[in-house]
Amino acid sequence: MQQGKLCNRIPVETKDKLKEILGDKGGIQYYKEMESLEVDVPALKDLLKRTLKSRLKTWLNSCMRCGLCADSCFLYIANDKDPKQVPSYKIQSTLGELVRRKGEVDTQFMMHCMDVAWAQCTCCNRCTMYCPMGIDTGVMFSYLRGILFSQGFVPWEMKIGSGMHRVYRAQMDITTEDWVDTCEWMEEETEEEWPGLKIPVDKENADIIYTVNAREAKHYPEDLADAAILFHLAGENWTVPSEGWEETSLAMFAGDWEAAKLQVKSVYSAIERLKPKRMVVTECGHAYRATVTEGPYWAGIKSGKPPVDSLHYVEWVAEALRTGKLKIDPAKRIKEPVTFQDSCNYIRNAGLADDARYIMSQIAEDFREMKPNREHNYCCGGGGGLNGIGRYRQERNIGLKVKRDQILETGAKLVISPCHNCWDALRDLEEVYKIGIRWSFLKPILIKMVVVPDHLKLSAE
């Protein structure tokens, strides 16, 4: 994909604020200094007293050690069924032990908890489906991450991402000016092929407000152009906000709940300012979870719902196909064997499997399901921030074996993956294991096969 041309015109005072949060050390020095970091036991005790509520206590105490969660975990399977990779063991040996010791722990223990919380669990919540007691290990690991963050035991890349959210309200150093310039640039890039196409910024009362993953603006700006083309073909009345456009939350991965709150409130503020009818979230699973599923609670919205009805991109595509806003040219459907990667966050945790299958029924002639699939599918291997943490790259690569084997079993060479984390994991899977696959978001696939209405076709010269 084409690299963005953002010029990083970052004000000096903004850079200074980020340096204040992150310091000026690199990852190696960061972890070296962590080894001598003292645990603030009084603060840890106080945090447990204030935040460890009855639900988590019940889960920790009700685990029967039955082991039914073991085979649900892709990391357990990928690591030759190592007993230490059983979800119940992982949470009991970290959060459970922390609670039993009433916060009386040392640096070595906290570093062990950090390694388990980020390298041995992606918070995919698959194990919860198979627990007879309904214990949500993913939620407990999220809670543990928050405790670790409060004490400074957090992976370097998560610290960086969280700091970016605090300063830029985005996981990358993108200013408002850079974002708006990118929208204008992509509009200019597409105007010759798609006359009349606009990327409206800050349009009030639009039917759709579209929010994205900062990596698109920074590294894959053509994804924004692709979204604009499809909205254009569908005749949508849409807009992007100049501020509050970033949906993702590395702060959520980091356990930095204050930054997560700041992030999601920036999106909600854009909604309140522009008053759209609905929000559509780009092809990103954790962005949807952070802003639509978890975000309302961080923002203090008692209903548990965002300010407007909100759709993952899969939902919008399915709706556009069902209503005829987008029509597929049958001659251009995918002919080769193709499979679909179910994202944990919008399939298992948000129930969008049927929409995904409807899309595949419209665009593919030889669709092959992974086994298992839908909400039972395994994590891609890189969720929960694991993709981006250099300290745990080897653990991540081992975990990719499960997805590798699932894909190989289908015989498909093309994997449709409407999720950034899954997309990245599949890219790295191919780089590590070289199984000869390709992977794609929905947008570029759809653009190749949608019927262009006559009034939007280029006039013959």
Side-chain angles (χ1 to χ4, degrees), residues 170-366:
Q171 62 168 289
M172 293 184 172
D173 53 347
I174 302 173
T175 66
T176 298
E177 186 178 13
D178 284 334
W179 161 248
V180 173
D181 281 356
T182 297
C183 292
E184 294 173 351
W185 171 39
M186 285 297 99
E187 185 178 292
E188 293 170 1
E189 287 286 308
T190 56
E191 64 182 357
E192 183 175 339
E193 185 177 0
W194 302 99
L197 181 147
K198 300 293 182 183
I199 300 180
V201 178
D202 284 342
K203 180 179 181 181
E204 295 184 5
N205 302 306
D207 292 336
I208 289 172
I209 186 171
Y210 181 60
T211 47
V212 307
N213 182 315
R215 294 178 68 251
E216 295 166 1
K218 185 81 170 183
H219 299 298
Y220 315 135
E222 68 273 25
D223 192 276
L224 176 61
D226 287 349
I229 291 168
L230 290 168
F231 284 144
H232 182 62
L233 292 173
E236 294 285 16
N237 173 21
W238 70 292
T239 191
V240 294
S242 58
E243 296 181 349
W245 50 268
E246 155 74 305
E247 279 276 356
T248 65
S249 181
L250 291 193
M252 177 178 72
F253 289 159
D256 183 356
W257 305 122
E258 181 58 34
K261 178 180 178 179
L262 292 171
Q263 173 60 41
V264 76
K265 290 189 79 170
S266 71
V267 178
Y268 293 174
S269 293
I271 292 171
E272 292 167 2
R273 175 168 54 89
L274 298 178
K275 299 176 175 57
K277 294 182 176 65
R278 300 193 298 177
M279 175 168 63
V280 173
V281 181
T282 191
E283 296 179 66
C284 184
H286 99 262
Y288 181 88
R289 180 174 182 174
T291 308
V292 178
T293 306
E294 308 283 356
Y297 299 101
W298 299 334
I301 300 176
K302 293 183 178 180
S303 67
K305 296 180 179 180
V308 293
D309 289 341
S310 300
L311 290 73
H312 185 274
Y313 200 77
V314 160
E315 290 181 275
W316 178 79
V317 170
E319 177 186 273
L321 292 174
R322 287 186 176 112
T323 59
K325 287 185 176 181
L326 293 178
K327 297 180 181 179
I328 301 298
D329 183 342
K332 296 180 180 179
R333 297 174 72 199
I334 302 169
K335 304 295 191 294
E336 66 179 312
V338 58
T339 191
F340 186 91
Q341 166 55 20
D342 292 296
S343 163
C344 302
N345 283 318
Y346 69 81
I347 298 293
R348 178 157 41 254
N349 296 323
L352 302 184
D354 287 343
D355 283 339
R357 267 67 195 172
Y358 177 76
I359 293 169
M360 296 308 295
S361 74
Q362 299 299 298
I363 69 174
E365 294 186 359
D366 187 3

